[in-house]
Amino acid sequence: MTRAGLITIAVVAVCSGIAAWLLAGAAPAQTGDGSNDIAALSIHPHTGARLPLGMTFADESGHQVALQNYFGKTPVILVLEYLRCTSLCGVTLRNIVQALDGTPLVPGRDFQLVAVSIDPRDTPADAEAARAKYAALLKSGGPGGLHFLTGPAQAAREVADVVGFPYRYDRLLDAYMHPAGFVVATAGGVISRYIEGVAVSPQDLIKAIADAQENKTPGLLTRIILFCHIQGAPLGNLTVPVLAAFMLADIAAGIAAIAVFTVVRRRSS
């Protein structure tokens, strides 16, 4: 075998080994019952689904309101969270509001932000405090367009199931386990976009709200690509190492192809 052939085999073996190591390290954590906890607590996109706008919650004043009260005129940024959360929820909400503050969009005029609590222990008083807290991050300093709803567990679960936002209560931690992310819906209550993770840019929000304003949802091919490679529903936070593994495999295949081409060219010359 030629030197080029030996080098090719060595490179492919190394890249394949690294890829296998990445995939092995990316094995999802298992719960006590053997289920895949990471996959179970990842967002499962239901783009194009219609939200259950008839669900009733309490607003910041304690008045009973239907979710549909916040739809009808403008796109809605819908966040599922809970006000006792000390990690993902607060970071996500703060980043959304700060990103919105970096856009020319006006809350209440161009969009509504509706945060629905998944914790039935949250109260209207908690919601009012949260509304004031996040409104203070806006240049206007006013709460217009920001809404925090609390209510029964079943109502929140109905909304979460349609969104594809799984969560469960952990008694040991006294906390809810859930993914990070939110959706942008059209004025008619149809899910238009998913934005996962705690970080979001003003440009992403402008694009998502603009698409929702025009009642746009991703095409089938785009939705499949997003589901598999960006949304990462079956992979959760493991998308990056898995994609890195595939990238290494592609590099190995590319190097092998170049080496073979070089050998063939030399022999023919």
Side-chain angles (χ1 to χ4, degrees):
M1 183 177 292
T2 65
R3 177 182 293 182
L6 291 173
I7 293 175
T8 298
I9 292 174
V11 170
V12 172
V14 171
C15 288
S16 299
I18 296 175
W21 174 75
L22 282 168
L23 288 171
Q30 301 292 314
T31 57
D33 59 3
S35 62
N36 186 332
D37 198 38
I38 292 178
L41 290 175
S42 298
I43 291 178
H44 301 277
H46 297 160
T47 308
R50 187 173 296 278
L51 295 167
L53 301 184
M55 291 294 103
T56 301
F57 298 92
D59 65 11
E60 301 87 355
S61 301
H63 298 132
Q64 294 298 302
V65 293
L67 191 58
Q68 65 189 6
N69 286 22
Y70 305 98
F71 289 79
K73 295 182 179 180
T74 64
V76 174
I77 298 171
L78 178 65
V79 185
L80 289 156
E81 47 73 47
Y82 70 106
L83 302 175
R84 299 169 187 267
C85 181
T86 58
S87 54
L88 294 179
C89 300
V91 174
T92 301
L93 282 166
R94 184 176 68 250
N95 288 344
I96 293 173
V97 173
Q98 289 179 336
L100 287 169
D101 205 36
T103 73
L105 303 175
V106 178
R109 185 195 72 184
D110 301 311
F111 67 88
Q112 303 287 340
L113 188 154
V114 179
V116 175
S117 174
I118 60 176
D119 188 347
R121 297 174 298 178
D122 285 342
T123 67
D126 296 326
E128 177 58 36
R131 187 186 191 194
K133 171 184 175 181
Y134 292 108
L137 299 177
L138 295 170
K139 293 186 183 74
S140 63
L146 305 185
H147 312 280
F148 287 79
L149 307 181
T150 57
Q154 185 57 38
R157 181 68 70 179
E158 290 277 351
V159 176
D161 286 348
V162 172
V163 170
F165 184 91
Y167 62 91
R168 64 175 175 80
Y169 177 68
D170 189 303
R171 294 183 181 278
L172 182 62
L173 299 175
D174 187 25
Y176 282 85
M177 313 302 291
H178 62 85
F182 59 95
V183 300
V184 179
T186 68
V190 175
I191 298 174
S192 175
R193 285 287 187 278
Y194 282 78
I195 298 180
E196 292 199 49
V198 298
V200 60
S201 70
Q203 293 76 18
D204 288 340
L205 279 177
I206 289 176
K207 179 64 166 61
I209 292 172
D211 284 348
Q213 183 68 47
E214 298 178 9
N215 293 311
K216 286 184 179 179
T217 56
L220 178 59
L221 180 59
T222 301
R223 288 166 66 180
I224 291 174
I225 292 173
L226 287 173
F227 184 85
C228 295
H229 297 294
I230 298 178
Q231 304 296 350
L235 302 174
N237 295 327
L238 305 178
T239 302
V240 172
V242 171
L243 290 181
F246 280 111
M247 182 178 68
L248 283 170
D250 288 341
I251 292 173
I255 293 173
I258 293 171
V260 171
F261 176 78
T262 302
V263 171
V264 172
R265 187 174 182 182
R266 284 179 178 176
R267 287 180 178 177
S268 61
S269 60

